[in-house]
Amino acid sequence: MRVFLTGVGCVGKTTIGLRLTELMGLNFFDLDTEIEQFFEMSIEQLHQKYWMPHDFRKEASKALSIILDKPESQQAVIALPPSGLMGGCLAFSSRPSTCGPSRPALEGIEKYLGSGMVKGIGPHFARKLVRAFGEQVFDIIEREPDRLLELEGIGPKRKERVTQAWAEQKVGREIMVFRQSHGVGTARAVRIYKTYGDRAVERVQENPYRLALDIHGIVFKTADAIAQRLGIPRDALMRTQAGVRHVLQRLTNLQNRLQ
């Protein structure tokens, strides 16, 4: 069963949706949050880029299709913006779903491996690894490194270099585990590591709302979703402070656009 909630901003879709999930034992998806995570841009930035409503709905539908392809969305409450996306939502809901890894997820893994954080893996080798092993690539390097020898041009010496660099990349691996546990995109995980270094996981666990201040592309809703997964109470002072900052920033951006 899928329950769709639609309406203009700030009418309480998220509040009602989360309450429904508690009452009905369903999962919850906020399309605005999913759109921001998919494009790594805020809704305000997307509206500036795609200022025609038709163009924005077309781009937003890409994020919607990913939500509806997730097995957990089969039993879910999905909060939508106004009715412009309802037609696409119904169309996506009626098509056969796919359970393979999404291209954006694979691209994020490729960016991480090719970012220079793991010595011995550059962009070309990262692409080769992802094409060969997909989303299992981290497990292959960690637990079955001999399978790297299946790839053309990879010999024992390079395999040893990669596995040793991976073993030394303790913080990077902690970040990836954190990413998988708390729904952080791979590209964002790389930026978190580059921003906070060896204390990345510790800093985020202390106050995930700092992400919206320190890292470009992470907005309040994304930080709030991570905070909820970490078990931070909804009435926590840090959440209130971050929410006030977020509202003030949105009002400032709106005022600047009207000038």
Side-chain angles (χ1 to χ4, degrees):
M1 176 179 66
R2 285 173 172 152
V3 178
F4 298 104
L5 299 177
T6 184
V8 297
C10 301
V11 298
K13 296 189 299 293
T14 298
T15 301
I16 294 171
L18 290 172
R19 181 59 179 157
L20 278 173
T21 61
E22 293 174 359
L23 292 173
M24 303 172 70
L26 301 174
N27 299 305
F28 179 76
F29 292 92
D30 184 326
L31 183 58
D32 282 349
T33 299
E34 297 291 329
I35 289 171
E36 290 176 336
Q37 291 178 347
F38 179 79
F39 290 100
E40 297 190 349
M41 298 172 66
S42 68
I43 294 295
E44 290 86 355
Q45 291 170 323
L46 282 167
H47 275 299
Q48 291 173 3
K49 184 175 181 179
Y50 304 105
W51 58 276
M52 292 293 290
H54 171 75
D55 292 333
F56 176 78
R57 288 196 296 269
K58 180 180 177 182
E59 294 302 311
S61 68
K62 297 176 182 177
L64 177 61
S65 69
I66 289 177
I67 294 176
L68 297 177
D69 274 343
K70 294 179 179 180
E72 57 266 35
S73 78
Q74 300 297 318
Q75 301 289 324
V77 176
I78 302 175
L80 300 170
S83 59
L85 284 172
M86 279 303 294
C89 191
L90 294 173
F92 281 122
S93 296
S94 62
R95 71 177 185 173
S97 63
T98 59
C99 296
S102 66
R103 185 61 220 165
L106 295 179
E107 288 175 352
I109 293 172
E110 185 178 317
K111 286 180 183 178
Y112 169 73
L113 288 172
S115 67
M117 292 173 65
V118 182
K119 295 178 182 178
I121 301 181
H124 177 72
F125 189 26
R127 189 175 306 112
K128 184 179 290 189
L129 284 169
V130 172
R131 285 180 178 175
F133 304 120
E135 290 190 325
Q136 303 302 313
V137 64
F138 298 128
D139 288 334
I140 297 296
I141 298 173
E142 179 90 21
R143 300 171 187 169
E144 302 178 75
D146 286 344
R147 290 194 59 190
L148 298 177
L149 299 174
E150 298 173 9
L151 303 182
E152 184 180 354
I154 308 302
K157 288 186 178 179
R158 188 168 193 184
K159 183 209 79 171
E160 192 64 30
R161 216 165 45 238
V162 169
T163 53
Q164 182 177 348
W166 182 255
E168 293 171 353
Q169 188 59 29
K170 181 176 181 291
V171 174
R173 286 187 286 127
E174 289 178 352
I175 283 285
M176 298 314 294
V177 171
F178 182 87
R179 177 194 76 80
Q180 293 166 352
S181 301
H182 301 292
V184 180
T186 306
R188 282 198 177 100
V190 173
R191 290 205 295 273
I192 291 171
Y193 175 77
K194 288 183 175 179
T195 300
Y196 301 130
D198 292 348
R199 295 187 60 208
V201 173
E202 178 186 348
R203 297 292 299 277
V204 175
Q205 289 175 333
E206 286 175 351
N207 183 359
Y209 295 102
R210 63 168 29 110
L211 296 172
L213 291 175
D214 298 340
I215 299 179
H216 176 73
I218 295 184
V219 294
F220 173 81
K221 284 188 176 181
T222 304
D224 194 39
I226 294 171
Q228 299 310 304
R229 292 187 182 99
L230 287 170
I232 292 175
R234 297 184 67 81
D235 59 354
L237 177 60
M238 69 174 72
R239 185 172 190 265
T240 303
Q241 292 171 332
V244 170
R245 281 196 302 266
H246 173 68
V247 171
L248 291 175
Q249 184 62 55
R250 292 192 65 171
L251 289 173
T252 301
N253 292 341
L254 178 61
Q255 184 178 23
N256 290 339
R257 287 204 300 271
L258 293 176
Q259 288 177 347

